[in-house]
């Protein structure tokens, strides 16, 4: 089965904004290419559910460019990248559960009719 | 039966001039373990019609960001096949070449995009059997020699049924009729002497690039409305109150002393017109609210893939994206 995502030839989709080095590992602004509110808002929600994340927000700097910035600030000792990875893992779990629930709901509906 | 309302934190209120309590993050205890609440999240199918092409389902307990993500993915990230390149050999009709080519792109095709590969940029239009579907459209309009029938012309209206599929390689064994979803979509009108001869090449794409690639006619959601009666309304006023809402939402029920009382039957179908605020005396009788975590989705497919398959595909796209970024994070942290 071929991938549902279109092929992207330009290498990395995720990079980090070169920012203030004064806060260390705990604050980062991640730059996502070719992403928008679809992923941004979901990630932000998952990040805010993490009690070790102090600040999480996303922005789309200009609507003409398909770029999304995600700012994460965490507590001492917890790297921002770990928070981001956990948010992705949580989102993946959440979405798979949603998919399973949907498919079983469809099966139930078809059995009834 | 009176409906016991839940605590107000998960409902927004529709007032006469404003909507209040719309934010999802204002209440305490928002930090919740994403895995604990699993039994509170529900998905229920309400309606499947039109051979699976129309779907109405409910997502209960989910965060609006996830519901919106599903909606946005359905519109712009689930792939479809659509005509992309049009080679026009002959077009003596009134419609300009570019307008005609644009119309050809908008024709929904039945081909399943999952059976095709993505076409690489920069390769020739003809493509391979794995990534391109070829069609041909050849129509010539003539005078009708049969003077008795009502139609003076032959083939003066060009419909999608005139599109012929030209199978490439082993496509004829793998695909069954990947042509247009409907046969009676009008493409062009001709008069005697006009001729159209073109080759059409369909490829896989996403709605993000061009709306022709969107697999849904549309996909939208609304919040589940709720109507609470604050004080009982009888007879004349009750009739006026019932008329304020969409038919079937409220009804009159007889009371013990022979009067008629207004009662909420099912707030689900209410279109939230807030019509009740036009009546000064009935304004305070009801409170209009919407449940912030109950999304009523409507997904209508264009015909290529069933709506019941489109929603899992949309979630699959999200899962693939997560997978992609987790791998990128892991590979970047190894450096």
């Amino acid at each position: 089965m071929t991938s549902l995502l279109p092929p992207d030839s330009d290498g990395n989709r995720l990079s980090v904004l070169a920012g203030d080095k004064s806060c260390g590992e705990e604050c980062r602004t991640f730059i996502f290419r070719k992403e928008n509110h679809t992923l941004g808002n979901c990630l932000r929600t998952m990040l805010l559910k993490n009690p070790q994340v102090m600040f999480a927000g996303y922005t789309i700097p200009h609507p003409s460019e398909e770029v999304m910035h995600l700012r994460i600030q965490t507590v001492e000792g917890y790297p921002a990248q770990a928070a981001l990875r956990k948010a992705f893992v949580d989102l993946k779990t959440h979405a798979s559960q949603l998919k399973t629930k949907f498919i079983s709901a469809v099966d139930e509906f078809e059995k009834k009719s | 039966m009176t409906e016991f309302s839940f605590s107000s934190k998960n409902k927004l209120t529709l007032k006469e001039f404003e909507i209040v309590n719309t934010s999802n993050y204002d209440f305490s205890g928002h930090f919740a373990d994403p895995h604990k609440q699993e039994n509170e999240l529900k998905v229920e199918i309400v309606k499947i019609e039109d051979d699976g092409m129309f779907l109405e389902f409910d997502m209960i307990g989910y965060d609006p960001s996830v519901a919106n993500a599903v909606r946005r993915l359905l519109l712009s990230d689930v792939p479809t096949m659509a005509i992309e390149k049009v080679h026009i050999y002959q077009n003596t009709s009134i419609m300009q070449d570019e307008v005609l080519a644009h119309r050809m792109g908008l024709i929904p095709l039945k081909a399943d995009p999952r059976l095709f590969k993505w076409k690489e940029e920069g390769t020739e239009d003809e493509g391979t059997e794995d990534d391109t579907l070829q069609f041909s459209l050849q129509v010539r309009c003539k005078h009708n020699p049969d003077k008795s029938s009502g139609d003076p012309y032959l083939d003066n209206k060009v419909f999608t049924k005139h599109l012929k599929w030209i199978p490439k390689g082993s496509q004829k064994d793998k695909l069954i009729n990947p042509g247009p979803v409907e046969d009676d979509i009008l493409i062009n009108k001709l008069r005697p002497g006009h001729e159209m001869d073109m080759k059409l090449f369909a490829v896989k794409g996403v709605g993000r690039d061009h709306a022709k690639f969107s697999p849904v006619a549309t996909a939208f959601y609304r919040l589940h409305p709720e109507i609470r009666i604050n004080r009982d309304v009888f007879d004349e006023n009750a009739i006026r109150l019932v008329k304020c809402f969409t038919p079937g939402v409220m009804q009159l029920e007889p009371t013990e002393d022979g009067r008629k009382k207004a009662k909420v039957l099912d707030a689900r179908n209410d279109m939230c017109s807030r019509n009740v605020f036009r009546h000064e005396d009935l304004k305070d009788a009801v409170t209009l609210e919407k449940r912030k975590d109950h999304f009523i989705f409507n997904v209508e497919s264009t015909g290529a893939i069933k709506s019941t398959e489109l929603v899992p595909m949309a979630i699959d796209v999200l899962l693939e994206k997560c997978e992609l970024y987790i791998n990128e994070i892991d590979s970047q942290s190894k450096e």
Side-chain angles (χ1 to χ4, degrees):
Chain A
M1 277 273 276
T2 39
S3 154
L4 280 167
L5 295 174
D8 186 29
S9 49
D10 294 334
N12 289 356
R13 298 261 293 247
L14 169 61
S15 49
V16 176
L17 191 65
D20 227 349
K21 287 299 170 195
S22 58
C23 53
E25 287 289 312
E26 286 79 31
C27 26
R28 284 279 185 276
T29 302
F30 295 96
I31 304 176
F32 289 82
R33 278 190 322 109
K34 297 220 174 133
E35 291 302 335
N36 53 17
H37 304 280
T38 310
L39 190 62
N41 204 8
C42 282
L43 271 182
R44 188 189 60 95
T45 312
M46 290 301 158
L47 280 166
L48 287 172
K49 289 197 179 162
N50 186 346
Q52 289 176 297
V53 167
M54 286 202 302
F55 178 92
Y58 81 98
T59 183
I60 295 175
H62 197 281
S64 301
E65 289 175 16
E66 260 198 300
V67 176
M68 189 220 359
H69 288 203
L70 180 69
R71 174 86 181 160
I72 306 176
Q73 280 170 215
T74 55
V75 297
E76 282 267 339
Y78 187 61
Q81 202 166 50
L84 179 66
R85 192 182 191 282
K86 181 171 192 297
F88 271 117
V89 171
D90 287 343
L91 179 59
K92 211 169 151 197
T93 325
H94 194 66
S96 338
Q97 282 170 2
L98 170 60
K99 188 176 153 193
T100 334
K101 282 194 204 250
F102 180 83
I103 295 175
S104 51
V106 174
D107 285 337
E108 239 185 79
F109 183 85
E110 306 207 306
K111 276 202 201 110
K112 263 196 251 167
S113 52
Chain B
M1 184 202 92
T2 32
E3 202 185 80
F4 293 105
S5 58
F6 325 103
S7 61
S8 56
K9 67 181 179 188
N10 74 334
K11 290 204 209 131
L12 53 79
T13 315
L14 299 165
K15 293 205 170 145
E16 189 173 353
F17 298 113
E18 55 182 354
I19 302 179
V20 289
N21 200 24
T22 53
S23 169
N24 282 56
Y25 308 110
D26 278 347
F27 49 90
S28 62
H30 182 69
F31 288 118
D33 189 308
H35 306 288
K36 256 194 220 151
Q37 280 176 319
E38 221 231 287
N39 56 341
E40 292 164 13
L41 307 171
K42 284 184 234 145
V43 178
E44 285 162 9
I45 309 286
V46 173
K47 221 189 277 181
I48 301 182
E49 278 170 17
D50 212 2
D51 193 28
M53 295 305 166
F54 179 81
L55 169 67
E56 188 179 325
F57 73 98
D58 286 7
M59 267 171 74
I60 306 166
Y62 284 91
D63 196 85
S65 59
V66 175
N68 196 29
V70 171
R71 185 192 65 89
R72 287 175 67 98
L73 288 163
L74 278 167
L75 286 169
S76 74
D77 284 284
V78 178
T80 326
M81 300 294 287
I83 291 168
E84 175 92 350
K85 295 275 193 280
V86 177
H87 290 185
I88 302 180
Y89 294 94
Q90 180 79 287
N91 176 26
T92 42
S93 70
I94 302 281
M95 195 180 277
Q96 298 92 337
D97 288 351
E98 60 268 22
V99 177
L100 185 53
H102 180 252
R103 285 177 71 77
M104 300 313 296
L106 295 173
I107 296 170
L109 299 175
K110 262 191 274 185
D112 190 334
R114 293 168 287 194
L115 302 172
F116 291 87
K117 290 204 191 117
W118 295 93
K119 183 153 184 275
E120 283 160 56
E121 268 179 68
T123 56
E124 41 169 52
D125 293 349
E126 292 278 340
T128 66
E129 62 175 47
D130 293 319
D131 57 28
T132 314
L133 266 181
Q134 187 174 337
F135 296 90
S136 126
L137 181 62
Q138 287 168 318
V139 189
R140 185 181 263 172
C141 182
K142 302 185 199 56
H143 279 293
N144 191 352
D146 183 7
K147 300 289 179 195
S148 55
S149 79
D151 214 354
Y153 312 113
L154 281 173
D155 285 340
N156 66 327
K157 287 192 184 162
V158 180
F159 292 101
T160 30
K161 64 173 188 266
H162 292 112
L163 273 168
K164 264 197 281 287
W165 173 41
I166 316 273
K168 274 188 203 300
S170 59
Q171 276 179 353
K172 54 182 171 326
D173 305 316
K174 288 189 279 183
L175 304 166
I176 335 151
N177 192 17
V181 173
E182 299 287 342
D183 277 335
D184 54 357
I185 301 175
L186 180 63
I187 298 173
N188 199 0
K189 283 188 184 179
L190 309 171
R191 283 293 179 268
H194 290 161
E195 189 188 341
M196 277 167 49
D197 181 2
M198 35 196 204
K199 280 206 191 118
L200 313 149
F201 302 97
V203 292
K204 186 162 149 173
V206 280
R208 210 185 260 214
D209 277 340
H210 195 289
K212 71 188 178 193
F213 290 117
S214 187
V216 287
T218 195
F220 64 92
Y221 67 78
R222 57 190 177 96
L223 298 179
H224 193 298
E226 242 179 51
I227 304 165
R228 263 191 301 136
I229 300 184
N230 301 329
R231 60 174 171 83
D232 285 332
V233 179
F234 299 99
D235 303 320
E236 279 283 313
N237 292 334
I239 297 174
R240 278 165 56 222
L241 186 64
V242 169
K243 277 216 185 117
C244 287
F245 297 94
T246 315
V249 169
M250 286 188 88
Q251 70 173 32
L252 298 162
E253 69 168 353
T255 55
E256 291 103 28
D257 46 348
R259 291 195 293 172
K260 281 192 255 179
K261 190 167 78 156
K263 176 182 93 124
V264 177
L265 191 58
D266 185 9
R268 188 192 169 92
N269 296 322
D270 186 37
M271 289 297 123
C272 299
S273 59
R274 289 196 263 174
N275 224 353
V276 79
F277 291 110
R278 293 165 72 195
H279 303 274
E280 286 296 326
D281 52 335
L282 297 176
K283 264 202 273 202
D284 59 327
V286 288
T287 309
L288 302 172
E289 291 171 326
K290 289 197 202 204
R291 290 186 218 153
K292 286 194 271 196
D293 58 354
H294 188 145
F295 303 94
I296 302 173
F297 266 87
N298 264 287
V299 180
E300 186 182 337
S301 163
T302 46
I305 312 174
K306 288 194 184 169
S307 307
T308 43
E309 290 171 43
L310 278 175
V311 179
M313 272 175 88
I315 304 173
D316 276 336
V317 174
L318 184 60
L319 291 171
E320 264 195 56
K321 277 194 208 247
C322 289
E323 186 72 51
L324 174 84
Y325 284 107
I326 293 174
N327 289 338
E328 249 197 70
I329 294 174
D330 287 341
S331 66
Q332 276 183 13
S333 61
K334 281 198 198 123
E335 289 161 22

